[in-house]
Amino acid sequence: MAAFDHGQRNHVIVLQDGYSHEDDGDETAMRANCTCTLVRCRDGTNIIVDTMTAWDGELLRSLLGNHGLGVEDIQVVVCSHGHSDHIGCNYLFQKARMHLVGACASHRDLYWDLFPSGKQDAELTLDSNAEVVVRRTPGHTHSCVSVIVDNSQLGGRVGITGDLFERREDIDDESIWMDAGSESEKLQRQERCKMAHLCDFIVPGHGPMFAVVETMRSQLKKDADLSA
């Protein structure tokens, strides 16, 4: 692994922007792949969030190589939920100390209950400085999680949310995230509002990272209040 100057900040690096859209040749089919994100913690922990499809192994190796990393340099794998376009390359990271798929944590055949039922706001710390945490954000699926990064190189808090947010445009057009599927629209509205008020930047499940502004927070609070 090449030396990396963290500059006393945690670095959030989007390796690949995700997408989702109707297939050009078949209106009954969709094409989708997730946004894949690398978090380089200032304590040296490397975390990958959402690993794309099973056909993206060589691409993901190449994307990590662009940052001086191999698959063996990843300590923690987090998948926001268990859909196939978010977990496909987990198999690459057999040296990682933990794989987290939604709220399910494991290493090999060992499983941990790190998010006890009934503790909706429970958080799991991933770094020694307690600046990078995973928390439950149900909605798209009931087991969805998001990664929250404090002290980032961007100068604010970053939420890596998976499909809690499909992409920036779904704040103005709710049909985008609803059409992508939601196991609880009420919970998803509530969690979207929470994350927007917690974070300065959002990495959505199928689009580029965006900055959160007050008009977005106001709209998301209005949406959540309507579901209350």
Side-chain angles (χ1 to χ4, degrees):
M1 178 174 64
F4 179 71
D5 181 10
H6 295 83
Q8 296 306 303
R9 298 279 187 175
N10 302 302
H11 284 242
V12 178
I13 302 161
V14 175
L15 296 176
Q16 178 98 336
D17 287 335
Y19 57 88
S20 60
H21 57 79
E22 185 180 287
D23 181 62
D24 291 338
D26 182 356
E27 63 182 17
T28 68
M30 291 288 295
R31 290 194 179 271
N33 207 344
C34 72
T35 300
C36 178
T37 307
L38 171 68
V39 182
R40 304 196 72 167
C41 304
R42 65 190 182 98
D43 72 349
T45 302
N46 294 313
I47 303 163
I48 193 157
V49 185
D50 288 335
T51 64
M52 302 190 288
T53 78
W55 291 267
D56 293 310
E58 290 309 308
L59 171 62
L60 188 45
R61 286 179 185 272
S62 175
L63 293 170
L64 287 170
N66 292 340
H67 296 275
L69 297 175
V71 295
E72 68 279 0
D73 297 316
I74 301 297
Q75 284 82 37
V76 180
V77 178
V78 180
C79 299
S80 57
H81 59 290
H83 291 168
S84 60
D85 56 326
H86 292 257
I87 66 170
C89 290
N90 286 12
Y91 66 90
L92 292 176
F93 304 103
Q94 297 184 27
K95 299 290 187 182
R97 60 179 167 85
M98 181 174 65
H99 283 213
L100 192 63
V101 178
C104 180
S106 66
H107 180 262
R108 294 180 180 268
D109 61 350
L110 177 64
Y111 289 79
W112 301 285
D113 183 14
L114 301 179
F115 291 95
S117 59
K119 294 187 177 180
Q120 187 58 52
D121 293 328
E123 294 184 343
L124 172 66
T125 301
L126 299 182
D127 69 316
S128 61
N129 295 304
E131 294 173 338
V132 183
V133 302
V134 180
R135 66 179 292 165
R136 283 183 180 271
T137 51
H140 181 63
T141 74
H142 287 296
S143 66
C144 279
V145 297
S146 295
V147 177
I148 299 174
V149 182
D150 274 310
N151 189 27
S152 79
Q153 89 280 17
L154 298 171
R157 182 180 289 149
V158 182
I160 308 168
T161 69
D163 291 4
L164 184 66
F165 291 87
E166 187 80 359
R167 54 184 183 271
R168 157 66 186 87
E169 291 80 5
D170 76 12
I171 296 173
D172 302 314
D173 182 358
E174 281 196 317
S175 69
I176 295 172
W177 65 263
M178 289 179 177
D179 289 347
S182 177
E183 292 183 359
S184 173
E185 292 178 1
K186 179 178 179 179
L187 280 176
Q188 192 159 348
R189 286 193 180 100
Q190 292 171 350
E191 293 299 328
R192 283 159 61 85
C193 181
K194 285 181 191 176
M195 286 297 288
H197 282 80
L198 278 172
C199 297
D200 303 291
F201 301 90
I202 296 288
V203 179
H206 294 274
M209 177 164 53
F210 60 89
V212 181
V213 298
E214 283 306 316
T215 54
M216 296 178 187
R217 294 186 177 110
S218 297
Q219 181 61 55
L220 291 164
K221 185 177 188 308
K222 190 181 302 181
D223 295 339
D225 288 346
L226 289 173
S227 288

